[in-house]
Amino acid sequence: MDELSALPPEGTRRKTRLRTSSTGVRSAYAPSASPVSTRAESPRPSASTSAMARPATDPLEILAPTPRRHLLESSASQHWLRTPPLSPVSSRAASPAASTASQAQSHRPRHHTSFSALLEHDHSAAAARTGVKPKPPTADHEDSTSMGRRWIRWMHRRNLRGIVVPAAVGAAVLVKAAIGLGSYSGHATPPTYGDYEAQRHWMELTLHLPFQQWYTYDLQYWGLDYPPLSAYVSWICGLVGSWIEPTWFALDASRGIETQGSKVFLRATVIVWDLLVYIPALVMFAWTWQGSRSKRTQNIALLTLLFQPALLLVDSGHFQYNSVMLGFTLLALNFFATGQDLLGAVCFVLSLGFKQMALYYAPAIGSYLLAKCVYLGPSKGTTLFTRLASVTAITFFLLFLPFLPPFAPLSAILNPITRIFPFRRGLFEDKVANFWCASNVVFKWRTWASSTSLVRLSASLTALGFLPSVFVMLRAGFKFSRTDEDSGKEVPAHVPFLPLLPYALLNSSMSFFLFSFQVHEKTILLPLLPITLLLSGSHVDSAVYSWGVLVNNVAVFRLVGYNPLRVPQKSFTQILSTAVYCAALSLHVLELVISPPARYPDIYPVLNVLISTPVFVLAWLWSIKSGMEVTWALGGLGSATAVTAKADGSRRLSFSGERISSEGAAGSYRQLGGRAVSLGFAQTKKRAAYESSRASSVAGD
């Protein structure tokens, strides 16, 4: 309908209609009496007001106010450019009835059910119950945001949304290349020469030796101790590198070679595999897990994941390929989210086949898939379980095929297995910030227990550590299991308890890092992946964001990606962060000023362990707590939740709004990280509670 057709003819009087905006920040106009119309009639101005506003002979003029969305965007852009606003409110005239309509409708909830709208609704509901008014947003809130958020906001307002992702990926590649200009562990340090020589040696080893000798050749000099897929990647890199310069990978003759060309080639291979596996998985995660949110939020999540400091320093600084393993795991999560469980199982097996550290995620992913089989019911669940078992077995078989008959004797399969699981090395080797190394300061485990007993004890403690997440996941699967009435309906792509998966991954991987046998420093990258996934989509003031930043910073023991001088809120996490940062800075200063005494040469690494280990233990406990709270929000641990199936096969959770917001915004499902892993679940459930409260308020009016 043309806008001109809505104007009244001359000489006639009719009620003024105000245009509304469905995407505005706040709907300030009265709702229409008609259930279909999207326009709202404003109250008729009084005669005195009309006489003062215009001559009596002029026809009635409609002056539409500027939607508040445009006002906010304009003011924000003016703040970014440091230019004064055109006027205190707007450069456009406002309708005489706008203020009246706004006052008449100010007590009604908003129609736009975005997360920001729901957050304000939760704050208002909590204030009405407790009588405490919520704190208004501070004036410097936008100044306190990170440079990445401001850059993405600027790009979106300049209509440059299409180049945000390529620009972010390009910047990440540039940062990785810049990190590669620095030194690395073992540089010019014979006889083993560090991480660079290990990767280079594995490339020449796989290039010149048959499969059967890969895991048996000269084990004292960087013997291969990763699963077959990692060896295949080394073979591909060695093959390409030998085409460029054969002397880089001459077996035995090239030991200790540290030419600039060979190091540049190995640095480039890290970036190339990153671009092939890890970065596409990140982009898919932002589109899939953040699909119900704005494009700007998806870009912020991607930018956060691209510049995770620990992974940048370990992989790009020390010739590692951990991003390939993490990329396959992330691809598995993405396929689980879209309902492609078989592809997800294949990707996770590939992650296990690349590095055995991916076993840290096995309890969480295994319990999730088992819970989904329970959720689907006896018939479809059994079918899915059989398919998953078959696909997993076939993928493992293909990975280990060169070590099986007829390509090798059956006993050859033991060679990679014994190298992959090094139980003979002892409980720990280096100073790692886990339970065993920290407690060994006061209790010498190797003196009081044998190696076999320590293996059993570590396995028991690790199992007890991830047992809560497994229990919660399986409990949710039984709670939401489909009945016989749902057997003929279409199965939804994602299950209701999918938001539990990142918390289960965090709990499981942190349990392995803290309590398992023979933990390496770089295995902290596995707990960092799920907590960074949660961090990427969380609000700056949420508990998820605070824990994610703290754990990431402690993992690299640097103050990276966060402003520690920001005034902390009165919360345990912020106080703990300040204390840990002060302790880390103090330790760095002491290490620079005072040399370690001859009696305690490892005092600074031990102090590092004692500072970092409590943070990781608290993060592990927080993952258990958050998983249970999210399950409670989903209804997995309660009895009042009802799961109703729609005709189209989709499922919606319905439960009382009091349960959702009984503790206010600070304890709601969204603030616990549900918004970061929602796949639309958080918005769906919040919208259900919001609509019920809105219906009750309208009925009360």
Side-chain angles (χ1 to χ4, degrees):
M1 182 177 181
D2 189 13
E3 288 191 17
L4 295 178
S5 63
L7 294 175
E10 291 192 19
T12 62
R13 294 183 62 86
R14 53 184 300 185
K15 293 183 178 181
T16 308
R17 292 183 179 269
L18 300 179
R19 292 182 295 177
T20 62
S21 174
S22 60
T23 58
V25 177
R26 178 179 291 275
S27 178
Y29 311 104
S32 173
S34 173
V36 179
S37 175
T38 59
R39 295 177 177 262
E41 294 187 358
S42 64
R44 181 180 298 178
S46 62
S48 59
T49 305
S50 302
M52 294 174 61
R54 58 178 178 80
T57 57
D58 292 344
L60 183 63
E61 182 181 5
I62 296 178
L63 300 176
T66 305
R68 289 194 60 189
R69 172 172 60 89
H70 300 299
L71 293 178
L72 292 178
E73 290 181 355
S74 176
S75 61
S77 61
Q78 290 163 359
H79 173 75
W80 172 262
L81 297 175
R82 300 293 192 272
T83 56
L86 299 176
S87 65
V89 179
S90 173
S91 59
R92 298 176 61 182
S95 171
S99 60
T100 306
S102 177
Q103 294 175 3
Q105 190 59 19
S106 60
H107 69 283
R108 296 183 182 272
R110 290 177 289 176
H111 296 278
H112 184 55
T113 54
S114 64
F115 280 105
S116 59
L118 295 170
L119 177 62
E120 185 173 344
H121 179 65
D122 282 352
H123 281 300
S124 302
R129 287 193 307 271
T130 61
V132 180
K133 295 183 178 180
K135 294 182 180 180
T138 57
D140 58 345
H141 175 72
E142 187 171 344
D143 291 335
S144 64
T145 57
S146 64
M147 182 181 297
R149 291 175 181 266
R150 285 183 286 175
W151 174 73
I152 290 177
R153 186 185 302 118
W154 186 86
M155 294 287 284
H156 277 252
R157 289 175 180 170
R158 298 308 182 274
N159 200 23
L160 300 175
R161 300 176 181 86
I163 64 173
V164 170
V165 173
V169 172
V173 171
L174 184 62
V175 170
K176 294 173 189 290
I179 293 175
L181 297 176
S183 184
Y184 54 90
S185 61
H187 174 63
T189 307
T192 55
Y193 297 95
D195 296 325
Y196 157 78
E197 177 62 16
Q199 299 293 339
R200 191 208 60 79
H201 176 65
W202 292 338
M203 293 178 186
E204 69 178 7
L205 183 150
T206 55
L207 182 63
H208 294 284
L209 295 177
F211 295 108
Q212 295 80 6
Q213 299 183 31
W214 283 4
Y215 291 94
T216 59
Y217 181 80
D218 197 2
L219 300 181
Q220 300 302 319
Y221 187 81
W222 293 119
L224 184 61
D225 54 2
Y226 282 130
L229 184 58
S230 181
Y232 302 151
V233 169
S234 297
W235 175 76
I236 294 174
C237 295
L239 184 64
V240 175
S242 63
W243 292 343
I244 300 175
E245 179 56 58
T247 59
W248 293 346
F249 304 104
L251 186 62
D252 295 337
S254 60
R255 290 189 179 184
I257 184 175
E258 289 184 321
T259 62
Q260 195 66 28
S262 63
K263 288 188 286 187
V264 169
F265 173 76
L266 261 68
R267 300 282 193 195
T269 59
V270 173
I271 296 177
V272 168
W273 285 106
D274 214 33
L275 291 171
L276 291 177
V277 180
Y278 185 64
I279 291 180
L282 294 182
V283 175
M284 185 179 178
F285 170 83
W287 289 350
T288 303
W289 288 77
Q290 306 288 348
S292 61
R293 307 184 67 187
S294 65
K295 197 68 175 179
R296 184 185 300 177
T297 303
Q298 296 178 25
N299 295 151
I300 292 174
L302 177 62
L303 196 67
T304 303
L305 296 169
L306 282 173
F307 291 95
Q308 183 191 1
L311 187 60
L312 288 175
L313 294 175
V314 172
D315 276 19
S316 300
H318 298 277
F319 304 94
Q320 299 290 319
Y321 299 88
N322 298 290
S323 60
V324 178
M325 172 197 64
L326 298 177
F328 281 127
T329 301
L330 194 52
L331 285 174
L333 300 183
N334 296 334
F335 286 126
F336 293 152
T338 56
Q340 299 171 293
D341 298 321
L342 299 182
L343 285 177
V346 171
C347 290
F348 184 63
V349 172
L350 292 178
S351 180
L352 289 170
F354 191 82
K355 287 194 175 182
Q356 62 270 32
M357 295 186 301
L359 278 172
Y360 286 22
Y361 297 139
I365 291 181
S367 61
Y368 167 78
L369 293 176
L370 187 58
K372 184 167 185 180
C373 293
V374 173
Y375 163 78
L376 293 177
S379 178
K380 294 184 178 179
T382 304
T383 302
L384 177 61
F385 181 83
T386 305
R387 292 178 178 176
L388 288 172
S390 302
V391 166
T392 302
I394 292 174
T395 308
F396 271 120
F397 175 78
L398 293 177
L399 286 176
F400 286 88
L401 184 60
F403 306 94
L404 294 172
F407 302 100
L410 186 60
S411 59
I413 191 63
L414 298 177
N415 295 330
I417 294 177
T418 54
R419 292 293 300 167
I420 291 172
F421 301 104
F423 292 111
R424 299 178 182 177
R425 297 185 184 179
L427 186 61
F428 61 88
E429 291 181 350
D430 299 324
K431 301 298 186 295
V432 183
N434 68 350
F435 168 77
W436 300 112
C437 190
S439 60
N440 195 70
V441 176
V442 295
F443 187 85
K444 304 302 180 182
W445 294 99
R446 294 170 177 171
T447 304
W448 293 96
S450 63
S451 178
T452 304
S453 301
L454 290 177
V455 170
R456 295 174 180 174
L457 181 60
S458 65
S460 302
L461 290 179
T462 303
L464 289 176
F466 64 70
L467 187 61
S469 62
V470 173
F471 170 77
V472 167
M473 188 71 74
L474 293 178
R475 171 63 176 163
F478 281 102
K479 188 66 180 180
F480 294 105
S481 59
R482 295 164 62 89
T483 61
D484 295 336
E485 299 177 356
D486 301 329
S487 59
K489 298 179 181 179
E490 182 182 357
V491 179
H494 39 254
V495 294
F497 48 86
L498 180 63
L500 286 171
L501 186 53
Y503 293 99
L505 291 171
L506 175 59
N507 174 248
S508 176
S509 57
M510 191 64 81
S511 300
F512 274 92
F513 177 79
L514 290 174
F515 305 115
S516 66
F517 198 87
Q518 189 56 225
V519 175
H520 194 274
E521 300 97 325
K522 63 185 176 184
T523 54
I524 189 59
L525 295 174
L526 285 99
L528 288 182
L529 175 64
I531 201 170
T532 309
L533 296 179
L534 294 169
L535 161 69
S536 64
S538 61
H539 192 268
V540 177
D541 296 324
S542 64
V544 176
Y545 186 90
S546 299
W547 278 109
V549 168
L550 176 61
V551 173
N552 270 279
N553 285 339
V554 172
V556 294
F557 218 24
R558 302 288 191 274
L559 304 180
V560 178
Y562 185 65
N563 181 13
L565 302 179
R566 181 186 178 191
V567 178
Q569 302 174 353
K570 292 183 179 180
S571 66
F572 171 76
T573 311
Q574 293 291 349
I575 295 174
L576 176 65
S577 302
T578 304
V580 171
Y581 294 152
C582 292
L585 276 176
S586 301
L587 182 58
H588 282 308
V589 172
L590 287 176
E591 194 172 1
L592 289 174
V593 175
I594 304 176
S595 300
R599 185 178 179 182
Y600 302 105
D602 296 331
I603 186 172
Y604 290 124
V606 171
L607 290 176
N608 188 317
V609 169
L610 295 179
I611 293 174
S612 303
T613 303
V615 176
F616 297 145
V617 172
L618 290 174
W620 166 64
L621 295 174
W622 173 81
S623 68
I624 300 175
K625 166 182 171 290
S626 299
M628 291 184 175
E629 288 177 340
V630 172
T631 307
W632 179 264
L634 291 172
L637 297 178
S639 58
T641 301
V643 182
T644 58
K646 290 188 175 183
D648 58 355
S650 63
R651 302 173 73 86
R652 171 174 294 188
L653 306 178
S654 60
F655 44 89
S656 63
E658 294 180 358
R659 173 180 294 184
I660 302 176
S661 57
S662 59
E663 297 179 4
S668 64
Y669 168 71
R670 179 183 58 261
Q671 291 287 32
L672 294 172
R675 64 179 297 180
V677 294
S678 64
L679 278 171
F681 291 127
Q683 190 169 4
T684 301
K685 293 189 296 296
K686 285 288 187 179
R687 184 181 289 118
Y690 167 75
E691 289 174 352
S692 63
S693 63
R694 176 172 175 266
S696 61
S697 64
V698 172
D701 295 340

